[in-house]
Amino acid sequence: MATFARVHLAFERGEGVWLYTADGERYLDFTSGVAVNALGHAHPHLIAALGEQAKKLWHVSNLFEIPEAEHVARRLCEASFADVVFFCNSGAEAVEGAIKTARKYHSVSGQPERFRIVTFEGAFHGRTLATLAAGGQKKYLEGFGPVVEGFDQVPFGDLAAVKRAVGEQTAAIMIEPLIGEGGVRVVEPSFLRALRELCDRNGLLLIFDEVQTGMGRTGELFAYQRTGVAPDIMTLAKALGGGFPVGACLATREAAKGMTAGTHGSTFGGNPLAMSAANATLDVMLAPGFLDRVKQIALLFKQRLAEIKDRYPAVIAEVRGEGLLIGLRALVPAGSLVDALRAEKMLAVAAGDNVVRLLPPLIVSEQEIAEAIVRLDRACARLDGGPAKPRQ
Ligand SMILES: *Cc1c(COP(=O)(O)O)cnc(C)c1O
């Protein structure tokens, strides 16, 4: 189906932060497949782990115990607030799992009328019918029939509106701890703290959608760890399998108390092949120093980007984001900056609010950051209507 507005460009192979066309042309990949290939392309540890598992066992279904999934679940819980994990195959499915977990929690607590979830304008939670309703974007809901009931959207960052939206039917509040698709908008820790307090005071569950922000992207394994505010339920996907499709819904034992045998399921979820990818991704990310290096390189990148913004004030208005989830709010159409970058053989992806997202693999080197800055400089010069000004 023609559901994607694709660029006329295809790749044959990748290596680290580089993608190669069949003609051998090389592109600097600062999309990471939209925050998926956190370890770059063809990472040796992932190749080895998947290769080993591929020889042993791919899939058995959840009719049986899956020790590989129990192992990954244990590692995710040890590294987070969570006690339990449900594995699935995508971000939207992980969010569906979070919605069901929150609703069921209240149902088994004797308050089945509590099913509504407060979400934020500009949010993105996926493309299934319920997650579209949660995101509330009109252009995505148009033509797909009645909107799934049970989501109350409030303006981004508006605590008073959240308080007004919370009522006797409210089950949970759901937010991305850093808004990704909606334009790389940073959420103040004080706001998340206020949501936590509101949830605690009203018996609501707090859901963090970390499908995009999770798995090292912000310099912590999970973005919430930067804020000092822990959720009750958290979703993961994108980078969890380093490029292999896998999603997860994590929760405290209490929040997941309604999710008993038979209440939810997935044929593929947590299969041994997917789990080998997730486990290998965790091996790399949890190795000492990995996340510290992400923080360092992100700081360097942001400093260099600030220089570019100063050189091209008519092209870039603002550099924002956390870690290696960076947004350039553009003063030209974001799409034209993405196109100009691609002409310089550098890949980036647009987001809401006229933002260009830069999502390099977390393994990006200092030299590759320098290379990106050169290409970005040239792309901005194209849009600024002239050759690049000499560097100071
Ligand atoms: C990408 C994304 C999703 C949806 O993930 P899919 O794997 O495309 O279903 C959900 N939530 C957030 C925050 C995302 O960035």
Side-chain angles (χ1 to χ4, degrees), residues 34 89-95 124-128 131 176 178 180-181 209-213 235 237-238 357:
V34 195
N89 315 288
S90 69
E93 259 184 283
V95 177
F124 182 78
H125 297 297
R127 298 287 203 134
T128 61
T131 58
E176 300 158 74
L178 191 165
E181 310 285 329
D209 181 353
E210 292 231 30
V211 167
Q212 186 153 165
T213 55
T235 57
K238 290 194 164 87
R357 259 179 302 174

PDB file of all heavy atoms in Angstrom, residues 34 89-95 124-128 131 176 178 180-181 209-213 235 237-238 357, ligand 1:
ATOM      1  N   VAL A  34      14.931   5.755  12.475  1.00  0.00           N
ATOM      2  CA  VAL A  34      14.070   6.428  13.462  1.00  0.00           C
ATOM      3  C   VAL A  34      14.295   5.847  14.873  1.00  0.00           C
ATOM      4  O   VAL A  34      13.422   5.181  15.441  1.00  0.00           O
ATOM      5  CB  VAL A  34      12.577   6.425  13.072  1.00  0.00           C
ATOM      6  CG1 VAL A  34      11.822   7.442  13.945  1.00  0.00           C
ATOM      7  CG2 VAL A  34      12.380   6.774  11.618  1.00  0.00           C
ATOM      8  N   ASN A  89       5.930  -6.842  19.809  1.00  0.00           N
ATOM      9  CA  ASN A  89       6.758  -6.697  18.604  1.00  0.00           C
ATOM     10  C   ASN A  89       6.926  -5.281  18.103  1.00  0.00           C
ATOM     11  O   ASN A  89       7.600  -5.075  17.097  1.00  0.00           O
ATOM     12  CB  ASN A  89       6.147  -7.540  17.481  1.00  0.00           C
ATOM     13  CG  ASN A  89       5.756  -8.896  17.980  1.00  0.00           C
ATOM     14  OD1 ASN A  89       6.609  -9.730  18.246  1.00  0.00           O
ATOM     15  ND2 ASN A  89       4.471  -9.104  18.162  1.00  0.00           N
ATOM     16  N   SER A  90       6.287  -4.334  18.733  1.00  0.00           N
ATOM     17  CA  SER A  90       6.365  -2.963  18.218  1.00  0.00           C
ATOM     18  C   SER A  90       6.014  -1.978  19.326  1.00  0.00           C
ATOM     19  O   SER A  90       5.532  -2.371  20.399  1.00  0.00           O
ATOM     20  CB  SER A  90       5.384  -2.771  17.058  1.00  0.00           C
ATOM     21  OG  SER A  90       4.050  -2.805  17.549  1.00  0.00           O
ATOM     22  N   GLY A  91       6.228  -0.706  19.014  1.00  0.00           N
ATOM     23  CA  GLY A  91       5.919   0.342  19.970  1.00  0.00           C
ATOM     24  C   GLY A  91       4.425   0.466  20.234  1.00  0.00           C
ATOM     25  O   GLY A  91       3.989   0.576  21.391  1.00  0.00           O
ATOM     26  N   ALA A  92       3.650   0.461  19.157  1.00  0.00           N
ATOM     27  CA  ALA A  92       2.209   0.607  19.323  1.00  0.00           C
ATOM     28  C   ALA A  92       1.645  -0.515  20.181  1.00  0.00           C
ATOM     29  O   ALA A  92       0.795  -0.294  21.049  1.00  0.00           O
ATOM     30  CB  ALA A  92       1.524   0.629  17.955  1.00  0.00           C
ATOM     31  N   GLU A  93       2.145  -1.715  19.952  1.00  0.00           N
ATOM     32  CA  GLU A  93       1.682  -2.854  20.755  1.00  0.00           C
ATOM     33  C   GLU A  93       2.082  -2.714  22.216  1.00  0.00           C
ATOM     34  O   GLU A  93       1.342  -3.136  23.113  1.00  0.00           O
ATOM     35  CB  GLU A  93       2.351  -4.123  20.238  1.00  0.00           C
ATOM     36  CG  GLU A  93       1.526  -4.980  19.360  1.00  0.00           C
ATOM     37  CD  GLU A  93       2.312  -6.227  19.037  1.00  0.00           C
ATOM     38  OE1 GLU A  93       3.220  -6.158  18.183  1.00  0.00           O
ATOM     39  OE2 GLU A  93       2.048  -7.255  19.656  1.00  0.00           O
ATOM     40  N   ALA A  94       3.259  -2.154  22.450  1.00  0.00           N
ATOM     41  CA  ALA A  94       3.702  -1.939  23.823  1.00  0.00           C
ATOM     42  C   ALA A  94       2.770  -0.939  24.509  1.00  0.00           C
ATOM     43  O   ALA A  94       2.383  -1.117  25.673  1.00  0.00           O
ATOM     44  CB  ALA A  94       5.143  -1.436  23.845  1.00  0.00           C
ATOM     45  N   VAL A  95       2.369   0.110  23.773  1.00  0.00           N
ATOM     46  CA  VAL A  95       1.473   1.116  24.344  1.00  0.00           C
ATOM     47  C   VAL A  95       0.082   0.510  24.566  1.00  0.00           C
ATOM     48  O   VAL A  95      -0.569   0.769  25.582  1.00  0.00           O
ATOM     49  CB  VAL A  95       1.399   2.378  23.453  1.00  0.00           C
ATOM     50  CG1 VAL A  95       0.409   3.382  24.023  1.00  0.00           C
ATOM     51  CG2 VAL A  95       2.779   3.025  23.328  1.00  0.00           C
ATOM     52  N   PHE A 124       2.812  11.241  20.384  1.00  0.00           N
ATOM     53  CA  PHE A 124       2.695  10.154  19.417  1.00  0.00           C
ATOM     54  C   PHE A 124       2.855   8.843  20.162  1.00  0.00           C
ATOM     55  O   PHE A 124       3.844   8.631  20.866  1.00  0.00           O
ATOM     56  CB  PHE A 124       3.754  10.255  18.320  1.00  0.00           C
ATOM     57  CG  PHE A 124       3.603   9.170  17.288  1.00  0.00           C
ATOM     58  CD1 PHE A 124       2.622   9.252  16.307  1.00  0.00           C
ATOM     59  CD2 PHE A 124       4.415   8.046  17.318  1.00  0.00           C
ATOM     60  CE1 PHE A 124       2.459   8.235  15.370  1.00  0.00           C
ATOM     61  CE2 PHE A 124       4.258   7.024  16.376  1.00  0.00           C
ATOM     62  CZ  PHE A 124       3.275   7.127  15.405  1.00  0.00           C
ATOM     63  N   HIS A 125       1.856   7.961  20.021  1.00  0.00           N
ATOM     64  CA  HIS A 125       1.916   6.683  20.739  1.00  0.00           C
ATOM     65  C   HIS A 125       1.747   5.488  19.816  1.00  0.00           C
ATOM     66  O   HIS A 125       1.670   4.362  20.300  1.00  0.00           O
ATOM     67  CB  HIS A 125       0.859   6.659  21.844  1.00  0.00           C
ATOM     68  CG  HIS A 125       1.059   7.710  22.899  1.00  0.00           C
ATOM     69  ND1 HIS A 125       2.177   7.729  23.713  1.00  0.00           N
ATOM     70  CD2 HIS A 125       0.310   8.787  23.256  1.00  0.00           C
ATOM     71  CE1 HIS A 125       2.091   8.772  24.548  1.00  0.00           C
ATOM     72  NE2 HIS A 125       0.988   9.432  24.287  1.00  0.00           N
ATOM     73  N   GLY A 126       1.669   5.714  18.488  1.00  0.00           N
ATOM     74  CA  GLY A 126       1.560   4.591  17.566  1.00  0.00           C
ATOM     75  C   GLY A 126       0.374   4.737  16.633  1.00  0.00           C
ATOM     76  O   GLY A 126      -0.355   5.731  16.678  1.00  0.00           O
ATOM     77  N   ARG A 127       0.160   3.713  15.783  1.00  0.00           N
ATOM     78  CA  ARG A 127      -0.821   3.811  14.699  1.00  0.00           C
ATOM     79  C   ARG A 127      -1.948   2.788  14.781  1.00  0.00           C
ATOM     80  O   ARG A 127      -2.691   2.624  13.807  1.00  0.00           O
ATOM     81  CB  ARG A 127      -0.100   3.635  13.358  1.00  0.00           C
ATOM     82  CG  ARG A 127       0.939   4.700  13.071  1.00  0.00           C
ATOM     83  CD  ARG A 127       0.310   6.035  12.714  1.00  0.00           C
ATOM     84  NE  ARG A 127       1.274   6.807  11.947  1.00  0.00           N
ATOM     85  CZ  ARG A 127       0.976   7.464  10.816  1.00  0.00           C
ATOM     86  NH1 ARG A 127      -0.240   7.439  10.333  1.00  0.00           N
ATOM     87  NH2 ARG A 127       1.907   8.139  10.191  1.00  0.00           N
ATOM     88  N   THR A 128      -2.048   2.075  15.884  1.00  0.00           N
ATOM     89  CA  THR A 128      -3.233   1.230  16.045  1.00  0.00           C
ATOM     90  C   THR A 128      -4.392   2.134  16.445  1.00  0.00           C
ATOM     91  O   THR A 128      -4.202   3.299  16.785  1.00  0.00           O
ATOM     92  CB  THR A 128      -3.026   0.174  17.141  1.00  0.00           C
ATOM     93  OG1 THR A 128      -2.781   0.861  18.374  1.00  0.00           O
ATOM     94  CG2 THR A 128      -1.852  -0.737  16.819  1.00  0.00           C
ATOM     95  N   THR A 131      -3.981   3.508  20.068  1.00  0.00           N
ATOM     96  CA  THR A 131      -2.831   4.408  20.261  1.00  0.00           C
ATOM     97  C   THR A 131      -2.986   5.688  19.447  1.00  0.00           C
ATOM     98  O   THR A 131      -2.497   6.744  19.847  1.00  0.00           O
ATOM     99  CB  THR A 131      -1.498   3.706  19.921  1.00  0.00           C
ATOM    100  OG1 THR A 131      -1.524   3.245  18.571  1.00  0.00           O
ATOM    101  CG2 THR A 131      -1.238   2.534  20.851  1.00  0.00           C
ATOM    102  N   GLU A 176       5.210  10.931  27.028  1.00  0.00           N
ATOM    103  CA  GLU A 176       6.601  10.647  26.649  1.00  0.00           C
ATOM    104  C   GLU A 176       7.466  11.581  27.503  1.00  0.00           C
ATOM    105  O   GLU A 176       7.238  12.790  27.476  1.00  0.00           O
ATOM    106  CB  GLU A 176       6.849  10.985  25.178  1.00  0.00           C
ATOM    107  CG  GLU A 176       5.991  10.230  24.175  1.00  0.00           C
ATOM    108  CD  GLU A 176       5.901  10.994  22.840  1.00  0.00           C
ATOM    109  OE1 GLU A 176       6.883  10.994  22.091  1.00  0.00           O
ATOM    110  OE2 GLU A 176       4.847  11.595  22.576  1.00  0.00           O
ATOM    111  N   LEU A 178      10.153  12.762  27.000  1.00  0.00           N
ATOM    112  CA  LEU A 178      10.696  13.762  26.076  1.00  0.00           C
ATOM    113  C   LEU A 178       9.922  13.519  24.779  1.00  0.00           C
ATOM    114  O   LEU A 178       9.921  12.404  24.262  1.00  0.00           O
ATOM    115  CB  LEU A 178      12.198  13.527  25.867  1.00  0.00           C
ATOM    116  CG  LEU A 178      13.040  14.582  25.144  1.00  0.00           C
ATOM    117  CD1 LEU A 178      14.509  14.308  25.374  1.00  0.00           C
ATOM    118  CD2 LEU A 178      12.767  14.673  23.669  1.00  0.00           C
ATOM    119  N   GLY A 180       9.068  12.996  21.260  1.00  0.00           N
ATOM    120  CA  GLY A 180       9.902  12.670  20.094  1.00  0.00           C
ATOM    121  C   GLY A 180       9.314  13.165  18.791  1.00  0.00           C
ATOM    122  O   GLY A 180       9.665  14.236  18.297  1.00  0.00           O
ATOM    123  N   GLU A 181       8.366  12.378  18.233  1.00  0.00           N
ATOM    124  CA  GLU A 181       7.772  12.719  16.928  1.00  0.00           C
ATOM    125  C   GLU A 181       7.154  14.121  16.950  1.00  0.00           C
ATOM    126  O   GLU A 181       7.145  14.814  15.941  1.00  0.00           O
ATOM    127  CB  GLU A 181       6.649  11.737  16.542  1.00  0.00           C
ATOM    128  CG  GLU A 181       6.981  10.272  16.639  1.00  0.00           C
ATOM    129  CD  GLU A 181       7.870   9.774  15.523  1.00  0.00           C
ATOM    130  OE1 GLU A 181       7.787  10.323  14.402  1.00  0.00           O
ATOM    131  OE2 GLU A 181       8.653   8.851  15.779  1.00  0.00           O
ATOM    132  N   ASP A 209       5.784   6.612  28.025  1.00  0.00           N
ATOM    133  CA  ASP A 209       6.028   5.984  26.725  1.00  0.00           C
ATOM    134  C   ASP A 209       7.483   6.285  26.344  1.00  0.00           C
ATOM    135  O   ASP A 209       7.803   7.383  25.892  1.00  0.00           O
ATOM    136  CB  ASP A 209       5.051   6.531  25.682  1.00  0.00           C
ATOM    137  CG  ASP A 209       5.246   5.878  24.307  1.00  0.00           C
ATOM    138  OD1 ASP A 209       6.218   5.100  24.153  1.00  0.00           O
ATOM    139  OD2 ASP A 209       4.438   6.151  23.406  1.00  0.00           O
ATOM    140  N   GLU A 210       8.341   5.291  26.567  1.00  0.00           N
ATOM    141  CA  GLU A 210       9.772   5.445  26.263  1.00  0.00           C
ATOM    142  C   GLU A 210      10.161   4.647  25.024  1.00  0.00           C
ATOM    143  O   GLU A 210      11.295   4.193  24.875  1.00  0.00           O
ATOM    144  CB  GLU A 210      10.621   5.024  27.474  1.00  0.00           C
ATOM    145  CG  GLU A 210      10.485   5.975  28.661  1.00  0.00           C
ATOM    146  CD  GLU A 210      11.848   6.442  29.200  1.00  0.00           C
ATOM    147  OE1 GLU A 210      12.810   6.533  28.408  1.00  0.00           O
ATOM    148  OE2 GLU A 210      11.915   6.700  30.416  1.00  0.00           O
ATOM    149  N   VAL A 211       9.195   4.474  24.125  1.00  0.00           N
ATOM    150  CA  VAL A 211       9.481   3.738  22.888  1.00  0.00           C
ATOM    151  C   VAL A 211      10.633   4.407  22.133  1.00  0.00           C
ATOM    152  O   VAL A 211      11.511   3.738  21.597  1.00  0.00           O
ATOM    153  CB  VAL A 211       8.209   3.639  22.015  1.00  0.00           C
ATOM    154  CG1 VAL A 211       8.542   3.166  20.605  1.00  0.00           C
ATOM    155  CG2 VAL A 211       7.211   2.690  22.664  1.00  0.00           C
ATOM    156  N   GLN A 212      10.641   5.743  22.136  1.00  0.00           N
ATOM    157  CA  GLN A 212      11.691   6.465  21.407  1.00  0.00           C
ATOM    158  C   GLN A 212      12.845   6.894  22.328  1.00  0.00           C
ATOM    159  O   GLN A 212      14.008   6.879  21.938  1.00  0.00           O
ATOM    160  CB  GLN A 212      11.101   7.709  20.735  1.00  0.00           C
ATOM    161  CG  GLN A 212      12.075   8.443  19.854  1.00  0.00           C
ATOM    162  CD  GLN A 212      11.434   9.229  18.726  1.00  0.00           C
ATOM    163  OE1 GLN A 212      12.048  10.063  18.104  1.00  0.00           O
ATOM    164  NE2 GLN A 212      10.195   8.942  18.418  1.00  0.00           N
ATOM    165  N   THR A 213      12.514   7.288  23.555  1.00  0.00           N
ATOM    166  CA  THR A 213      13.519   7.856  24.459  1.00  0.00           C
ATOM    167  C   THR A 213      14.319   6.790  25.203  1.00  0.00           C
ATOM    168  O   THR A 213      15.359   7.101  25.769  1.00  0.00           O
ATOM    169  CB  THR A 213      12.836   8.748  25.518  1.00  0.00           C
ATOM    170  OG1 THR A 213      11.838   7.965  26.196  1.00  0.00           O
ATOM    171  CG2 THR A 213      12.179   9.945  24.886  1.00  0.00           C
ATOM    172  N   THR A 235       6.733   1.836  28.402  1.00  0.00           N
ATOM    173  CA  THR A 235       6.799   1.111  27.141  1.00  0.00           C
ATOM    174  C   THR A 235       8.171   1.287  26.499  1.00  0.00           C
ATOM    175  O   THR A 235       8.785   2.355  26.602  1.00  0.00           O
ATOM    176  CB  THR A 235       5.739   1.626  26.157  1.00  0.00           C
ATOM    177  OG1 THR A 235       5.938   3.033  25.978  1.00  0.00           O
ATOM    178  CG2 THR A 235       4.340   1.386  26.678  1.00  0.00           C
ATOM    179  N   ALA A 237      10.414  -0.029  22.739  1.00  0.00           N
ATOM    180  CA  ALA A 237      10.433  -0.761  21.466  1.00  0.00           C
ATOM    181  C   ALA A 237      11.662  -0.284  20.692  1.00  0.00           C
ATOM    182  O   ALA A 237      12.773  -0.643  21.062  1.00  0.00           O
ATOM    183  CB  ALA A 237       9.155  -0.580  20.669  1.00  0.00           C
ATOM    184  N   LYS A 238      11.440   0.545  19.689  1.00  0.00           N
ATOM    185  CA  LYS A 238      12.482   1.026  18.774  1.00  0.00           C
ATOM    186  C   LYS A 238      13.879   0.415  18.958  1.00  0.00           C
ATOM    187  O   LYS A 238      14.228  -0.509  18.258  1.00  0.00           O
ATOM    188  CB  LYS A 238      12.504   2.552  18.798  1.00  0.00           C
ATOM    189  CG  LYS A 238      11.229   3.130  18.131  1.00  0.00           C
ATOM    190  CD  LYS A 238      11.346   4.599  17.818  1.00  0.00           C
ATOM    191  CE  LYS A 238      10.285   5.065  16.840  1.00  0.00           C
ATOM    192  NZ  LYS A 238       9.022   5.480  17.410  1.00  0.00           N
ATOM    193  N   ARG A 357      15.023  16.118  13.236  1.00  0.00           N
ATOM    194  CA  ARG A 357      15.608  15.273  14.282  1.00  0.00           C
ATOM    195  C   ARG A 357      16.949  14.706  13.845  1.00  0.00           C
ATOM    196  O   ARG A 357      17.074  14.192  12.734  1.00  0.00           O
ATOM    197  CB  ARG A 357      14.677  14.095  14.585  1.00  0.00           C
ATOM    198  CG  ARG A 357      13.836  14.262  15.823  1.00  0.00           C
ATOM    199  CD  ARG A 357      12.941  13.062  16.028  1.00  0.00           C
ATOM    200  NE  ARG A 357      12.062  12.844  14.877  1.00  0.00           N
ATOM    201  CZ  ARG A 357      11.258  11.806  14.746  1.00  0.00           C
ATOM    202  NH1 ARG A 357      11.211  10.874  15.675  1.00  0.00           N
ATOM    203  NH2 ARG A 357      10.482  11.672  13.680  1.00  0.00           N
TER     204      ARG A 357
HETATM  205  C1  LIG B   1       7.615   5.216  17.374  1.00  0.00           C
HETATM  206  C2  LIG B   1       6.789   5.411  18.576  1.00  0.00           C
HETATM  207  C3  LIG B   1       5.670   4.602  18.846  1.00  0.00           C
HETATM  208  C4  LIG B   1       5.164   3.580  17.878  1.00  0.00           C
HETATM  209  O1  LIG B   1       6.075   2.561  17.626  1.00  0.00           O
HETATM  210  P1  LIG B   1       5.820   1.543  16.415  1.00  0.00           P
HETATM  211  O2  LIG B   1       6.899   0.511  16.604  1.00  0.00           O
HETATM  212  O3  LIG B   1       5.938   2.311  15.161  1.00  0.00           O
HETATM  213  O4  LIG B   1       4.464   0.978  16.613  1.00  0.00           O
HETATM  214  C5  LIG B   1       5.005   4.792  20.034  1.00  0.00           C
HETATM  215  N1  LIG B   1       5.403   5.728  20.918  1.00  0.00           N
HETATM  216  C6  LIG B   1       6.455   6.524  20.690  1.00  0.00           C
HETATM  217  C7  LIG B   1       6.873   7.527  21.716  1.00  0.00           C
HETATM  218  C8  LIG B   1       7.188   6.402  19.512  1.00  0.00           C
HETATM  219  O5  LIG B   1       8.217   7.214  19.263  1.00  0.00           O
END
